[in-house]
Amino acid sequence: QQQDDAVVATVLDVLYDLAYSPAPAVAQELPDMVRFCLECVKSSGLEMGIRDSAALVIATLAESKPKTFGKEEALVGQVLETLFHLIEQSPESAAGALLESNPAWKEDNDDDDDGEDGPTEMSMAQGTLDHLAC
């Protein structure tokens, strides 16, 4: 499992680096890149940090190639459906995650440290939605 996670993490690093490339092949392969990342985001068998990296690649592709990303309406729908599903299924409060994404409120909540330092499904989904909305 650790070897598989390492391979997926390496692939995601490469996709992230490619996201800002002006090469036409990136725009042509964008739907497949996003679909791969979506599968990673959905996979509960992967470490949360890797799933968060996949979400970052999706957000970065949307930011760097907005016209190409936006033309893929069905794909955008799949991304949104996946992110909303993660939020819906999360035991965390959606409002709580929104408050934590604001740096001023996060400082106030740091006293309530519950020992969870890494990303969660909720924070990953909401952070990606934030990037897509920009």
Side-chain angles (χ1 to χ4, degrees), residues 3 5 9 17 24 33 43 50 60 70 90 126:
Q3 248 181 338
D5 284 358
D17 290 341
M33 294 165 68
S43 176
I50 293 172
T60 303
S90 175
Q126 287 192 328

Side-chain angles (χ1 to χ4, degrees), residues 37 41 47 61 99 131:
C37 291
V41 166
E47 291 179 15
L61 285 167
L99 293 175
H131 282 285

Side-chain angles (χ1 to χ4, degrees), residues 52-93:
D52 192 48
S53 294
L56 177 62
V57 171
I58 292 170
T60 303
L61 285 167
E63 179 183 319
S64 65
K65 309 275 188 259
K67 290 180 183 177
T68 305
F69 193 89
K71 286 180 187 175
E72 300 289 336
E73 292 179 22
L75 188 60
V76 171
Q78 290 174 348
V79 169
L80 294 175
E81 183 180 323
T82 298
L83 297 174
F84 285 125
H85 179 75
L86 289 173
I87 291 169
E88 179 182 60
Q89 297 302 314
S90 175
E92 299 173 69
S93 164

